[in-house]
Amino acid sequence: EDQVTQSPEALRLQEGESSSLNCSYTVSGLRGLFWYRQDPGKGPEFLFTLYSAGEEKEKERLKATLTKKESFLHITAPKPEDSATYLCAVRSFSSGYSTLTFGKGTMLLVSP
Amino acid sequence: DAGVTQSPTHLIKTRGQHVTLRCSPISGHKSVSWYQQVLGQGPQFIFQYYEKEERGRGNFPDRFSARQFPNYSSELNVNALLLGDSALYLCASSSTRQGATPPDYGYTFGSGTRLTVV
């Protein structure tokens, strides 16, 4: 059974204080690791897809990295508008279809 | 281009009632998946449909059912509602066929339907 564990559950940062979110996973046959951002009461918004260990992707103040067992979402000099819940998900393929298995998310609060 | 649209946005139902949630995927997308997100948890897979056929089902009771129409829109039905069915129900669409690697943007989610069972 695919499993995704995210840490910490919640993180409070001051504006400009860089940090990292962790996503550890176990999956039989990884077909992509996804990072999403979710604002309260909204659906997840796609950020990144990573497919192989060593891969990195960047978007503005966010950088995602992937190893064989975990992924990190690095946030550099965050701003209050980066406050949201960040979800990690793995895509696997079994029984003839693919699906996403999500972690519980990390709730990020950036204070001015 | 319109994104994934879900209706209604909010819904309050009584225990034992039935509910139907609707989803319109992005134009040209043939795959629709449904997820349930309980407060404080990550989304959990319920169903996947591709080309109007059920392609996958998560660990949910038979009270949950779904279908996809010729225009690729989809309905999620839940019978005999329980308090524990209260959640945000999310629809996600994808352009790729079943099993294929999705485009780099992955799956596009709608804003969800917030269901409250009282």
Side-chain angles (χ1 to χ4, degrees):
Chain A
E1 183 180 324
D2 301 341
Q3 289 191 337
V4 177
T5 302
Q6 292 188 245
S7 62
E9 290 185 4
L11 180 63
R12 187 164 191 158
L13 300 173
Q14 290 294 120
E15 185 172 1
E17 180 187 1
S18 301
S19 187
S20 297
L21 312 183
N22 176 263
C23 170
S24 61
Y25 64 90
T26 55
V27 62
S28 54
L30 182 68
R31 301 277 183 113
L33 183 140
F34 296 79
W35 282 98
Y36 284 87
R37 168 193 171 125
Q38 187 174 29
D39 293 301
K42 302 292 185 183
E45 175 188 344
F46 172 77
L47 293 174
F48 303 107
T49 308
L50 302 167
Y51 288 103
S52 56
E55 190 174 358
E56 299 182 354
K57 288 191 176 176
E58 288 188 66
K59 179 181 178 181
E60 297 181 355
R61 296 177 292 283
L62 301 177
K63 178 180 176 180
T65 62
L66 181 66
T67 72
K68 288 186 178 180
K69 293 184 178 181
E70 57 190 353
S71 177
F72 291 93
L73 184 65
H74 307 278
I75 305 177
T76 302
K79 298 182 178 181
E81 53 262 41
D82 295 322
S83 298
T85 295
Y86 291 85
L87 295 166
C88 171
V90 295
R91 178 177 178 265
S92 62
F93 184 77
S94 64
S95 303
Y97 66 95
S98 64
T99 185
L100 296 179
T101 299
F102 283 86
K104 293 182 179 181
T106 293
M107 186 182 302
L108 174 66
L109 178 63
V110 182
S111 303
Chain B
D1 265 350
V4 178
T5 57
Q6 292 188 243
S7 63
T9 55
H10 295 84
L11 201 53
I12 299 176
K13 289 286 189 179
T14 304
R15 278 179 297 174
Q17 284 189 316
H18 162 271
V19 68
T20 298
L21 311 179
R22 295 178 175 83
C23 170
S24 293
I26 291 173
S27 178
H29 284 196
K30 297 181 179 180
S31 176
V32 169
S33 298
W34 287 94
Y35 287 79
Q36 179 197 64
Q37 187 176 23
V38 174
L39 197 62
Q41 304 290 317
Q44 187 174 359
F45 173 72
I46 310 175
F47 286 109
Q48 182 185 99
Y49 276 78
Y50 179 77
E51 286 283 16
K52 302 175 284 295
E53 291 188 16
E54 180 182 309
R55 302 291 184 168
R57 183 187 183 113
N59 188 23
F60 279 81
D62 291 342
R63 299 184 296 107
F64 289 77
S65 63
R67 55 180 175 167
Q68 187 176 33
F69 299 99
N71 65 354
Y72 303 110
S73 67
S74 178
E75 283 184 354
L76 175 69
N77 295 283
V78 186
N79 292 323
L81 285 167
L82 304 174
L83 295 179
D85 295 330
S86 296
L88 181 67
Y89 288 85
L90 297 163
C91 173
S93 81
S94 173
S95 63
T96 52
R97 62 180 173 82
Q98 169 203 355
T101 300
D104 197 50
Y105 59 78
Y107 302 84
T108 304
F109 284 84
S111 293
T113 294
R114 171 67 64 186
L115 172 65
T116 302
V117 182
V118 297

